[in-house]
Each structure stands twice: as structure tokens, then as C-alpha cells.
Amino acid sequence: MNKPRLALVIGILCVSVFPLLIKMELAPGLISAFYRMAIALVLILPYAWYTKQLGMPSTKILLLTALGGILFGSDVAAWNIAILESTATQASLLTNLSPVWVGVATFLFLTNKPTKNFWIGTLISLLGMVALVGFEVFASLSFDIGFICGVLSGVFYSAYLLISKEVLAKISIVTFMTYSLMASSVFLGIMSLAWGEPFGGFSTMGWMVLSLQAVVCQLLAWLMVSYALQYMRTTRVSLAMLSQALLTAFLAWVFLDEIITLQMILGGIVLLFGIRITFYNKPITIKRSHWLPLLKMRHKRKSNVTQVRRTGQNLPLR
């Protein structure tokens, strides 16, 4: 189990540095997402062709894969904008709400409904989100673009997870990733053209950062996490991935001098704790054996008080 755990740690590190690269502001958020997908596609395409994993799936699977690619591209683009418009810490914590949105979508559209633990965890996570962003923001409904894009990033990613789970049961990971990256690149390219984003003119450092995002944060992170998933339980990997937000917050504090307030720390902890509860398998209940002795003790105390009032005796109460 040492190799899968090491791979998972490497994957988490690769994802954690991504907000820091975006925060360097060497390229706009939308075009940065495009080059992350496009460069990764250029690198994986020869491997998929050499290993003969470019077979044409059925029309339904191909359409679902393309939709998954569009959703994942939208997720990355929204996350990039959230990072640029707010902080790396807030954007990373908000996008980690994706397990909550997965559960909500499961409740609405699938037959396998979430458990009671999920709703308890969801409520706690939402309270943590309110504390993280600030109660005054929700009281006045003054949501900025960074907050909106951070939440949208989690929504897009949750939809991508549901689709990818369906598709990966029928085609290989390499095939899915190749066609998904094709759809992401085309979609983000069209969006960049529509928004008038520059496709060139970046500094040497800017091109290096764009390449790092594709190689490290996309391909290497995906390979490491996928390898870990082959040998570890999905819930354990998902929970471990939540540490990415905390690691990003620490790196942003060290390298970007981001101010992390006590309110943000407490809100982030509550948010992640709520998500942890959604993965807890055993029902969260208060057993009768726990509260029944307390109820009997309380009844005994009431009887003693009544006896004192009636007889005037000074009985010790515990």
C-alpha cells in the first residue's frame, strides 16, 4: 500500500500548486484553462494512438464524454476566475463543495438516494461556507464574481463526476480522457474567441506556467490519483483529496502572503468536517442506552426535590 499512498500524496501536491500558478496572473483565467486542456491533449494523444485506445465508442458514450469534457473545462475556467477574483484559499474551499452537489444531484435524478448522514454533512458544510465567506455577505446577498465562480466550479465538477462514472464503466480511462480533452479544448477555444481572449503574447514565464498546469496539474495529478484509486477505497481517496484545500491555503499564506483570518480558518474547518460526514457510512444516531440513564437520573432528582418539599429533609442531590 505504500506506492498507492505515495501516488495519492503526489497527486494532491500537484493539484494544490495549481491555484498558486493561476494567482501569478501571467495569463487570463479562461485562456489559461484552454491551454491546460490543449497542451494535455497534445501530450496524451500520441500515447492513446500508440496503445490503440482511440477506438470510436457508441454515439451515446461519445456524446456523454464530450459533455463531460465541456463540464470539466467549465469547472477549470470557473475555478481560475474564482482564484483571480478572490483568494486561492476561498476558491479552493468553495470548489471542494462538489461532493455536496453530487449528493444533491443524486437525490434529484437517481434512484440511489443519499443517506441521512449526507444531509447532516451538507447542512454543516453550508454553515461552514457561510462562516468562511462572511455572514454579512449572505445577509446583504452581495455575492462577488469570485464567490459565484467558486461555487459554480464545484457544481460543474460534480456534474462531471456523475457523467464520468457512467462513461468509465464502458470505456478505458485513456479513451475517456482523450475525447474529453478534445471536447474541453474545442469548447474553451470557442469561449476564448468569443470573449476576445489573447492566444499569444505571453512572457517566457507565462508559457512555462501554462505548460506546468497541463503537465503537472492535469496529466501527472490525474495519473497519480487514478493509480491510487486502483488500490484504495474511493471514499478514502476522496477524503484525502479534501486536504488539497488546506495545503493550498498554507502554500498561499507562505508564497503569496494571503491573509488568512481566524474566521476563514474556522469556516474552512467546519466546511471540510461537514464533507467528511457525508462520507461516513454508519448512521449518526444517539443511542437510547446513552440518554436513558440520564433521563432516569433526572426523574430521580425530581422525586428527591418533591420529597424535600414534602418532608423538609435536606437530601443530597447529585
Side-chain angles (χ1 to χ4, degrees):
M1 289 298 294
N2 289 331
K3 288 183 179 180
R5 289 172 181 171
L6 178 61
L8 182 58
V9 170
I10 295 174
I12 292 172
L13 286 172
C14 292
V15 177
S16 299
V17 300
F18 175 69
L20 276 70
L21 297 176
I22 296 297
K23 204 63 178 175
M24 294 174 69
E25 300 186 22
L26 297 175
L30 187 57
I31 202 68
S32 178
F34 164 74
Y35 276 113
R36 171 175 168 171
M37 301 297 130
I39 296 174
L41 174 62
V42 171
L43 294 175
I44 197 175
L45 195 56
Y47 175 78
W49 176 80
Y50 180 76
T51 56
K52 299 180 180 179
Q53 299 190 61
L54 278 180
M56 186 62 66
S58 65
T59 303
K60 177 183 176 181
I61 296 300
L62 189 60
L63 290 175
L64 285 176
T65 302
L67 178 59
I70 291 172
L71 288 169
F72 186 71
S74 301
D75 159 45
V76 174
W79 192 18
N80 289 358
I81 297 172
I83 294 168
L84 292 172
E85 296 294 333
S86 58
T87 65
T89 301
Q90 176 178 302
S92 298
L93 287 169
L94 290 177
T95 196
N96 270 284
L97 280 170
S98 54
V100 171
W101 310 131
V102 168
V104 173
T106 301
F107 173 77
L108 293 175
F109 303 110
L110 301 181
T111 56
N112 188 17
K113 304 302 181 183
T115 62
K116 184 172 68 174
N117 290 0
F118 167 78
W119 297 114
I120 295 174
T122 297
L123 178 60
I124 295 174
S125 296
L126 294 177
L127 291 175
M129 181 178 67
V130 172
L132 169 69
V133 179
F135 296 97
E136 65 281 356
V137 172
F138 284 85
S140 60
L141 298 178
S142 57
F143 306 114
D144 59 14
I145 188 66
F147 172 82
I148 295 172
C149 286
V151 174
L152 281 177
S153 174
V155 173
F156 288 138
Y157 187 63
S158 62
Y160 165 77
L161 287 177
L162 291 173
I163 290 177
S164 62
K165 183 178 180 180
E166 174 73 16
V167 175
L168 286 173
K170 299 176 176 63
I171 61 176
S172 70
I173 296 177
V174 173
T175 303
F176 172 75
M177 284 299 297
T178 304
Y179 286 114
S180 175
L181 286 171
M182 285 181 184
S184 297
S185 301
V186 172
F187 172 74
L188 291 173
I190 294 173
M191 291 296 295
S192 298
L193 282 173
W195 284 85
E197 296 283 353
F199 284 83
F202 308 122
S203 64
T204 303
M205 180 62 70
W207 285 113
M208 288 178 60
V209 168
L210 290 173
S211 300
L212 280 174
Q213 292 175 33
V215 176
V216 176
C217 306
Q218 183 69 27
L219 289 182
L220 183 58
W222 160 71
L223 287 172
M224 293 296 102
V225 174
S226 298
Y227 176 77
L229 280 170
Q230 290 180 330
Y231 299 95
M232 300 174 65
R233 287 184 295 178
T234 305
T235 53
R236 184 166 294 178
V237 174
S238 301
L239 288 173
M241 289 298 293
L242 296 180
S243 62
Q244 172 264 319
L246 300 179
L247 183 55
T248 296
F250 175 75
L251 294 174
W253 175 65
V254 172
F255 295 105
L256 302 179
D257 295 326
E258 282 194 0
I259 299 175
I260 302 177
T261 63
L262 179 60
Q263 176 180 322
M264 292 177 64
I265 294 174
L266 294 177
I269 292 174
V270 172
L271 188 152
L272 295 178
F273 177 69
I275 296 175
R276 167 66 181 90
I277 291 178
T278 64
F279 287 102
Y280 191 66
N281 294 324
K282 297 181 180 179
I284 300 176
T285 57
I286 301 176
K287 294 183 179 180
R288 189 171 179 231
S289 58
H290 290 166
W291 55 263
L292 188 58
L294 297 177
L295 186 62
K296 288 182 177 179
M297 185 180 296
R298 183 179 178 185
H299 179 72
K300 183 178 180 181
R301 287 180 177 176
K302 287 184 178 179
S303 300
N304 290 341
V305 171
T306 304
Q307 188 174 358
V308 169
R309 289 175 179 173
R310 290 179 178 178
T311 63
Q313 296 177 356
N314 187 17
L315 299 178
L317 302 179
R318 294 183 180 177

